[in-house]
Amino acid sequence: MSHSADATLGKSAYPRLTRSLSAVESWGFGLTAHISWTALVPAIHAALGSQAIFVWIPAVIFGMLLNYQVKRLGMHFMNVAGGTPNYATKLLQNYPGLARYAAIGYLLNWVSYLAVNTIVLRDLIKVNLEALGITCPDIFLDISFTLLPFIVAFSGTRALSILHLFFIIPAFGLLITFCLEGLGWLAFSPVSPGFFPSNWSSLGFVDWAKWFFFVTYATYSCETASSFVADSRNPTQTLRFLDVAAWMMPPIFLGGSWVVMRLATDPNLQDNAFMNLVAASQPFWGKSAAVSVSFLLVAASLLGSATVVSNCPRILYQLALDKHISPVFSVVSRRGVFVPALTLTLMLCLVYLIWGDVARIVAVGNIGWFVSFMLFHLGLWLRRDRPEVLFPRISLGILLLEVVVLVVGGLAWGWLNLLIGLLFPIGVMGIDAVIRRVDFPPFHRSWWMRRYRTRPVVIIKDSVILQVIILIFLLCSAVGVGWLFGVKLDKVGTAAGENLFVVLLMSVAFVGVAIACWTSLPQVVAIAEAREAAEHLFTVAQDGILVVDDRGIIQQANPATESFFGVNPSELLGNHLNKWLPALVYYPDQWTKRSEQALLRNGKNRTLEVSISDRPHQDFQEYVVILHDITQRKQAEEILRHSEAELRQQAKQLASQLVQSEKMSSLGQLVAGVAHEINNPVNFIYGNITFANQYIEDLLNLLQLYQQNYPNPVTEIQEEIEALDLNFLIADLSKLLSSMTVGAERIMEIVLSLRNFSRLDEAEMKAVNIHEGIDSTLMILQHRLNSKSDYLAIEVIKEYGDLPLVECYAGQLNQVFMNLLANAIDAIEESLVISHPSFVQDKDRGLSEGLLPSELLIREMHKGREQMTNDRGKIRIHTKLTSEKQVVICIADNGLGIPENVQQQLFEPFFTTKPVGKGTGLGLSISYQIITQKHQGKLQCISAPGQGTEFVIIIPLNQQTT
């Protein structure tokens, strides 16, 4: 298998995140960076003392500006997951290598945060356990605290976000209380050492750059809530929280740091976070300081780890979605679990853990992080003309400062750390390149998608046994562990016991939730999803759904019932169903499972199909009634029964029409065949007439030479010349050959007209000369236009306009011309017959003999018409092109005209005014279909009795083909 299979799926096939997180849950993740301040402040305070505030101030200002910028980008990229690093890839889309480097550098810093939290927790618990005389291997604690958040994340529930929110609220509340209460104590307490220090030490630029580089670890990460915009149910509210997160930075990062700087002044505290925070809070918290600080540190570590396993997979997911890394990292399970992304995050975290040096982990992780924000600010400057970019000039200034800080501060932390930090993202990019190319099924997205499609959701049908067993196990374990620690706590000081209690409390909470995520929570989620699906179907169903008790009283009704009964569903509750459907008896157990019931509403009868099924419960019986309106179906059945004869008649008409169409097609084929067969001998005759004429002229020349050289032929030859009338033969022979030439040319013209009329080689639509088609039709009808013994020839007046080639079905259009011209000739001939005096004289006589007018007309048309020679029929053919690119063809005659009542039926199938045997009544109907349906045009008849008839054809110059 190769990644080509993934590529064929396309970006549109990638799974989108389900908007399942509430805005409050995403807010909780946005406060994680504020709590991480507790791990940073002791180190910078121990190194710089009161001068640390000058590092915090610009770092906080830049962090607040960053929050506003990220919020603006989030409003523009509302469906982008992962937040800042993935916004950076959008800004640097013209530089994909830099974009990928920036995102991975950001990711690696968060992964390092998880490793640092694990080490801090391990050391904290180890110290407290040693105070109790209990030893625990480091590797056990490292693996436990590393896997703990991953176990919850792999469960596929919202438990991790809820657990995070549950603890972040008290932890953040405790932290903000520490900052504000400490500032108040410094300002107003009589035993305060003073709000401001008595003297300030100097601060060099190198030290400033070194520690500015360090504190951006927290101040640049307060935009974490943006990572969850794509799966937030209210993304706008999630982004608006960035404003709150920004304004929470000054009281915590500046106020809290000031409290530690003024109150934790003992040099023996060094950079120990626990001891510095206890020393700073003890003046105003007293004995509860140690427990409170323990809670803050443990919360910062565990909640930071929870944020890492929530944030990092979303970064990898969006990078895969944007084709910056392997598509396998875009895989999301039905429950929203980023399995490949979580696996890679875990592997990178283990790399940091194996390294084991907290200072180096922080330094190396922060280098990639700092470069990531440098590239982010570079992207803002490059896209400065875009509306989603705020403060582009400020971003450029920050970028220039960050370049200097990276060089000076990075080297201050060690050139080796700087080099490793710069190369680490490139190494991860190399790992991604290997994943793309290695033919290992789990490295390919298609393998995961098939697994998720075929693997059913595991739902334990009877989970009671499992839940009881787990409950017994947890209770027994809790009692045993409690008894063990109770014995140990009696032998040690109270402070160590309290600190260990806080650590165990939060650890057990995480472990308990992790266990629940793999036991009962999936069942709860499955039940909730099933309930939501059922409620959704109940709400959106178009059929009426009622739930009635064993007495037929309505207990529930869905919204669709309002369209059936005309009352609000709430008004149905508590009433018996037979109030609206009287045919139903009182008790539902006597109702037919499926029946048809009549419902009278607003004076109209409706027919409902009523389906009933019972739903037994442990304590009571319910019935589900489904109402389906079948009124239209009943009406349709009735219409079908009454229209059966009409449909049969229409079928006969359609069959006749098909026969006529087939005849017309066969006629076209016959005409084309005859034209082809005639064309060959005519060409032979026409081609040989020229040679025959030459030969005869040569023979006549030879004969003249004989006459000149032998003027006195013998008697026998003289007698033969007189018998043949040689002089007449010589004079008439050339005329004869000329007549034969004219006749052959005439035949060729007729053949060409026949071929133009049939146009079987042009069955498809193409551009043709309309005038050629009309002329060809007139050529075929020429025998009917010629003069007869009893009347003059019908005069054809051609008023051809300047027409370009017209897109049409030429053969079918020629059939229309044939029908209209033939009808015009019939109308003229009929007018000549009716106007004949003998017809008028014999009309009464014929009627008195019982002849119908049509029969009388036929008889008179076959009589001699000596007095009609002065009558003259006329057909006028007029064509033009309108300004709307419409071709207009008018065919008018001076016949009798058509009455108005007849005009209304002209285009109906089988309607004819001609006598039996002379017409089928399909000519004009087929012509109408050819013009209106095949050519999207119009066919109109303009006529009045005694004023002739004009048919107007209007078709577009160019047909709209699909």
Side-chain angles (χ1 to χ4, degrees), residues 300-317:
S301 298
L302 289 176
L303 297 179
S305 299
T307 302
V308 170
V309 299
S310 300
N311 185 21
C312 292
R314 285 166 172 80
I315 298 173
L316 292 170
Y317 163 82

Side-chain angles (χ1 to χ4, degrees), residues 335-397:
R335 299 288 190 190
V337 182
F338 307 84
V339 179
L342 279 170
T343 303
L344 178 63
T345 304
L346 177 59
M347 295 298 103
L348 294 174
C349 179
L350 292 178
V351 171
Y352 278 120
L353 278 177
I354 293 172
W355 204 349
D357 187 341
V358 174
R360 177 162 289 184
I361 290 174
V362 172
V364 170
N366 207 35
I367 289 168
W369 167 268
F370 201 77
V371 173
S372 174
F373 279 98
M374 288 171 53
L375 295 174
F376 177 77
H377 288 119
L378 174 63
L380 291 174
W381 173 248
L382 294 175
R383 302 294 292 271
R384 56 188 176 275
D385 56 335
R386 301 291 298 174
E388 63 270 18
V389 175
L390 292 174
F391 327 121
R393 294 182 183 276
I394 296 177
S395 297
L396 178 62

Side-chain angles (χ1 to χ4, degrees), residues 313-330:
R314 285 166 172 80
I315 298 173
L316 292 170
Y317 163 82
Q318 190 64 47
L319 287 175
L321 208 64
D322 295 336
K323 299 182 180 179
H324 287 294
I325 60 175
S326 172
V328 71
F329 296 109
S330 69

Side-chain angles (χ1 to χ4, degrees), residues 484-591:
L484 175 62
F485 276 95
V487 172
K488 294 291 184 179
L489 288 174
D490 289 338
K491 303 177 181 179
V492 298
T494 306
E498 292 177 350
N499 296 339
L500 189 59
F501 171 76
V502 171
V503 176
L504 290 177
L505 179 66
M506 292 195 66
S507 301
V508 169
F510 269 77
V511 171
V513 171
I515 294 173
C517 286
W518 290 93
T519 54
S520 59
L521 278 183
Q523 310 303 317
V524 173
V525 171
I527 292 171
E529 290 176 349
R531 185 186 69 251
E532 290 175 0
E535 291 176 349
H536 178 71
L537 290 175
F538 185 77
T539 303
V540 303
Q542 298 297 313
D543 289 340
I545 303 175
L546 300 168
V547 178
V548 301
D549 61 14
D550 55 356
R551 297 176 300 160
I553 304 300
I554 300 174
Q555 304 296 321
Q556 288 180 273
N558 74 328
T561 54
E562 185 172 359
S563 64
F564 288 88
F565 302 120
V567 297
N568 191 285
S570 61
E571 299 178 18
L572 297 173
L573 307 183
N575 294 290
H576 199 284
L577 184 55
N578 64 11
K579 180 178 179 180
W580 289 273
L581 302 176
L584 295 177
V585 296
Y586 192 77
Y587 293 104
D589 58 359
Q590 301 176 12
W591 295 349

Side-chain angles (χ1 to χ4, degrees), residues 536-749:
H536 178 71
L537 290 175
F538 185 77
T539 303
V540 303
Q542 298 297 313
D543 289 340
I545 303 175
L546 300 168
V547 178
V548 301
D549 61 14
D550 55 356
R551 297 176 300 160
I553 304 300
I554 300 174
Q555 304 296 321
Q556 288 180 273
N558 74 328
T561 54
E562 185 172 359
S563 64
F564 288 88
F565 302 120
V567 297
N568 191 285
S570 61
E571 299 178 18
L572 297 173
L573 307 183
N575 294 290
H576 199 284
L577 184 55
N578 64 11
K579 180 178 179 180
W580 289 273
L581 302 176
L584 295 177
V585 296
Y586 192 77
Y587 293 104
D589 58 359
Q590 301 176 12
W591 295 349
T592 306
K593 295 296 182 183
R594 186 182 296 272
S595 63
E596 295 180 2
Q597 303 290 332
L599 175 66
L600 180 64
R601 180 190 165 194
N602 297 332
K604 296 182 180 180
N605 285 319
R606 299 174 66 181
T607 304
L608 303 182
E609 183 180 66
V610 181
S611 303
I612 303 165
S613 61
D614 58 345
R615 188 171 65 173
H617 292 268
Q618 185 173 357
D619 300 322
F620 57 91
Q621 183 82 10
E622 280 186 342
Y623 296 86
V624 178
V625 181
I626 300 177
L627 308 175
H628 181 63
D629 191 348
I630 59 172
T631 305
Q632 292 184 352
R633 189 182 77 188
K634 288 294 184 180
Q635 292 174 350
E637 291 174 354
E638 188 67 22
I639 292 172
L640 287 174
R641 282 194 294 269
H642 286 84
S643 63
E644 196 171 336
E646 183 179 348
L647 289 174
R648 283 199 297 268
Q649 182 64 26
Q650 290 179 359
K652 290 181 180 179
Q653 292 178 357
L654 290 174
S656 301
Q657 189 171 349
L658 289 173
V659 171
Q660 181 67 17
S661 299
E662 186 63 27
K663 287 181 179 178
M664 294 297 292
S665 176
S666 300
L667 176 61
Q669 295 177 3
L670 176 62
V671 168
V674 170
H676 178 73
E677 294 300 327
I678 293 176
N679 192 51
N680 290 332
V682 168
N683 286 335
F684 175 77
I685 294 171
Y686 183 76
N688 287 321
I689 286 176
T690 302
F691 298 105
N693 190 29
Q694 182 65 41
Y695 297 159
I696 291 172
E697 287 182 1
D698 293 342
L699 291 174
L700 291 177
N701 290 333
L702 179 61
L703 182 61
Q704 289 177 359
L705 289 176
Y706 270 99
Q707 288 178 339
Q708 293 174 4
N709 293 296
Y710 302 97
N712 299 313
V714 296
T715 303
E716 185 178 356
I717 293 176
Q718 185 67 35
E719 291 175 353
E720 186 64 24
I721 289 173
E722 292 176 355
L724 292 176
D725 194 358
L726 183 60
N727 292 332
F728 172 78
L729 187 147
I730 292 173
D732 192 57
L733 187 58
S734 61
K735 297 179 181 179
L736 176 64
L737 289 173
S738 297
S739 298
M740 292 175 65
T741 302
V742 172
E745 290 175 349
R746 179 65 174 165
I747 293 173
M748 291 177 67
E749 290 177 358

Side-chain angles (χ1 to χ4, degrees), residues 733-897:
L733 187 58
S734 61
K735 297 179 181 179
L736 176 64
L737 289 173
S738 297
S739 298
M740 292 175 65
T741 302
V742 172
E745 290 175 349
R746 179 65 174 165
I747 293 173
M748 291 177 67
E749 290 177 358
I750 295 173
V751 168
L752 180 60
S753 298
L754 291 174
R755 294 184 64 184
N756 287 339
F757 175 77
S758 63
R759 288 188 182 270
L760 288 181
D761 57 336
E762 299 176 6
E764 298 298 326
M765 181 181 294
K766 64 182 297 184
V768 299
N769 189 330
I770 291 292
H771 296 152
E772 287 184 359
I774 297 174
D775 292 340
S776 299
T777 307
L778 290 171
M779 177 70 72
I780 295 172
L781 293 172
Q782 185 63 46
H783 69 285
R784 296 193 61 189
L785 298 171
N786 294 334
S787 61
K788 301 296 189 295
S789 59
D790 47 4
Y791 59 81
L792 298 176
I794 298 175
E795 181 183 2
V796 178
I797 304 169
K798 300 179 181 179
E799 299 175 354
Y800 290 168
D802 186 12
L803 293 183
L805 297 181
V806 180
E807 288 187 359
C808 63
Y809 295 95
Q812 297 184 18
L813 201 58
N814 287 342
Q815 292 180 17
V816 175
F817 297 152
M818 174 67 78
N819 288 334
L820 297 183
L821 289 170
N823 285 343
I825 295 172
D826 290 342
I828 292 173
E829 289 179 348
E830 183 180 352
S831 67
L832 295 175
V833 170
I834 292 177
S835 63
H836 194 285
S838 64
F839 180 84
V840 178
Q841 294 171 3
D842 292 345
K843 181 178 180 181
D844 294 335
R845 184 177 69 253
L847 293 174
S848 65
E849 294 175 2
L851 296 176
L852 296 173
S854 59
E855 294 172 336
L856 181 61
L857 177 62
I858 295 172
R859 189 175 72 176
E860 291 299 326
M861 288 179 66
H862 290 83
K863 290 178 63 177
R865 289 172 261 188
E866 295 82 359
Q867 299 182 10
M868 290 187 187
T869 55
N870 293 326
D871 296 334
R872 190 70 180 267
K874 295 181 180 180
I875 296 176
R876 183 178 65 90
I877 304 174
H878 175 77
T879 64
K880 68 176 182 179
L881 179 66
T882 68
S883 59
E884 293 83 12
K885 299 298 182 181
Q886 299 283 331
V887 177
V888 180
I889 306 165
C890 303
I891 300 176
D893 63 67
N894 61 345
L896 293 175

